[in-house]
Amino acid sequence: MNAPQPLHPGVNLDVTDRKSHEKASEVIFGFWIFLMSDLVLFAALFATYAAMSTQGIAQGPTPSEVFDLGSAFIETLLLLLSSFTFGFAILAMKYSTSRLRLLAWLGVTALLGAAFVAFELHDYYVMIVNNDAWPQTSGFLSAYYLLTGTHAVHVSAGILWMIVLAVQVMTLGPNPLVKLRLLRLALFWHMLDIVWVGIFTFVYLFGVAA
Amino acid sequence: MNLKTVSNSAPPAESRHEQRNYCIGLCLALVLTLIAFGLVWLKMVSGTQALAVLGVLALVQVVVHLRFFLHIDLGKSHRDDLMLILFTSLILLLIVLGTIWILWDQHARMM
């Protein structure tokens, strides 16, 4: 037998868990198809935002008046770090026999994600209190809350999903099924970070620069 | 039996390699994020130029994320996924550019 080949993109479980590895290719490709269709949803929201943020200001505030770049920067760092820690959770799952290490990295990731959502809710609160920027104020703000809100809902769902999987790791142990579920959640989480790159660039940075 | 030798010898080296990959990804993403925010903070870009510069930075960062966090590369076993991603990118481009084009046109006619 030759050295195992990587069957799919992402961390392959080949060297440490051949049994999980053989099942991985199909479910992970299927999950990629889901991720891509999720991206299409975000693309539609981005397109709406692009049109609305220039033509749908009405009498409401402009993007540069309502956005706080400092807060967007902190959110960016939180989400980037959580992507990184999830990577280490997956490596702990692959190489370490101790469940504690995996659970610790998952816990850190979930906390960073929760901090991200909290910052975003705080942003909304500040915008509404200081600028009277309600979702119904203008087309621009409706599109803004819809786009960032959909992303925040995705992150929250990811956190919930992470808690469910952490319970499964504790009760069922890291068996092949649970491992494959964690691999898929990792893809979901990394993909949300990619969507956020689009949001902080085109919504926050471009909104303030233009 | 070969499986055993593999699982005894490979993990430390591969583990270190994979950890390093995540670290490289984090550093590159941080640098790109800092450049993007720095340019806007220091007011070095504006208008259409900002869209171009920030767009390129975002594209590079997305590629960094795909390469180092999602591990998509040009390897043979990843071709299907790469095709899927590229095809989806095409669809996304059509949706976004098409919407912007049509709505700008409508907007111009309403003026």
Side-chain angles (χ1 to χ4, degrees):
Chain A
M1 253 165 93
N2 294 321
Q5 290 292 312
L7 289 179
H8 56 85
V11 172
N12 276 243
L13 296 172
D14 46 13
V15 285
T16 52
D17 184 354
R18 188 62 73 82
K19 208 167 146 216
S20 304
H21 180 56
E22 279 161 2
K23 293 187 187 154
S25 172
E26 278 172 26
V27 290
I28 285 185
F29 187 70
F31 197 73
W32 268 100
I33 294 176
F34 157 71
L35 284 179
M36 293 297 114
S37 59
D38 211 25
L39 267 191
V40 172
L41 164 72
F42 277 110
L45 293 178
F46 267 111
T48 312
Y49 180 82
M52 282 297 181
S53 64
T54 47
Q55 299 151 11
I57 307 279
Q59 268 78 50
T62 61
S64 55
E65 283 167 10
V66 287
F67 291 153
D68 175 7
L69 272 194
S71 175
F73 186 62
I74 294 172
E75 285 158 17
T76 306
L77 290 188
L78 285 172
L79 208 58
L80 181 60
L81 271 179
S82 80
S83 232
F84 177 73
T85 55
F86 208 139
F88 273 74
I90 293 297
L91 292 183
M93 172 185 94
K94 180 174 176 183
Y95 294 109
S96 166
T97 44
S98 113
R99 289 181 201 183
L100 223 57
R101 206 188 224 172
L102 166 60
L103 289 172
W105 281 115
L106 275 184
V108 174
T109 310
L111 281 179
L112 288 167
F116 168 85
V117 176
F119 260 94
E120 211 163 18
L121 290 177
H122 179 254
D123 266 7
Y124 293 165
Y125 175 76
V126 170
M127 280 172 64
I128 288 172
V129 168
N130 290 354
N131 299 297
D132 209 21
W134 294 90
Q136 66 268 33
T137 304
S138 65
F140 148 60
L141 287 166
S142 308
Y144 165 78
Y145 283 109
L146 188 61
L147 173 59
T148 54
T150 306
H151 182 264
V153 167
H154 273 78
V155 174
S156 310
I159 295 171
L160 205 67
W161 188 350
M162 218 176 283
I163 294 169
V164 171
L165 285 186
V167 171
Q168 291 191 354
V169 170
M170 278 185 270
T171 54
L172 304 174
N175 65 30
L177 270 179
V178 175
K179 281 185 177 179
L180 292 183
R181 286 173 192 154
L182 276 166
L183 278 185
R184 278 172 280 175
L185 176 57
L187 294 181
F188 181 73
W189 198 258
H190 293 314
M191 192 54 76
L192 287 181
D193 202 14
I194 289 184
V195 173
W196 181 255
V197 170
I199 292 181
F200 85 69
T201 303
F202 294 110
V203 175
Y204 290 101
L205 289 179
F206 184 63
V208 172
Chain B
M1 53 279 119
N2 209 340
L3 190 63
K4 198 154 195 176
T5 52
V6 166
S7 54
N8 282 343
S9 59
E14 201 182 321
S15 163
R16 263 200 307 279
H17 174 72
E18 285 181 341
Q19 284 182 4
R20 208 177 51 221
N21 258 346
Y22 280 108
C23 294
I24 295 172
L26 178 70
C27 293
L28 286 176
L30 271 180
V31 168
L32 288 163
T33 305
L34 276 174
I35 293 175
F37 273 89
L39 285 175
V40 176
W41 257 320
L42 302 172
K43 298 194 189 331
M44 286 165 77
V45 287
S46 65
T48 327
Q49 185 203 10
L51 190 62
V53 174
L54 296 174
V56 169
L57 282 169
L59 193 66
V60 175
Q61 189 164 351
V62 167
V63 171
V64 166
H65 280 242
L66 282 174
R67 170 69 185 80
F68 292 100
F69 291 157
L70 287 160
H71 311 273
I72 300 290
D73 54 33
L74 299 175
K76 266 226 173 69
S77 63
H78 303 169
R79 284 287 154 77
D80 288 348
D81 297 80
L82 192 63
M83 292 298 270
L84 179 65
I85 292 169
L86 290 177
F87 179 67
T88 310
S89 310
L90 177 70
I91 301 281
L92 300 192
L93 215 64
L94 288 176
I95 292 178
V96 173
L97 293 182
T99 306
I100 291 173
W101 183 13
I102 290 169
L103 287 180
W104 269 103
D105 193 52
Q106 293 289 335
H107 186 65
R109 281 163 200 269
M110 302 255 295
M111 281 287 114

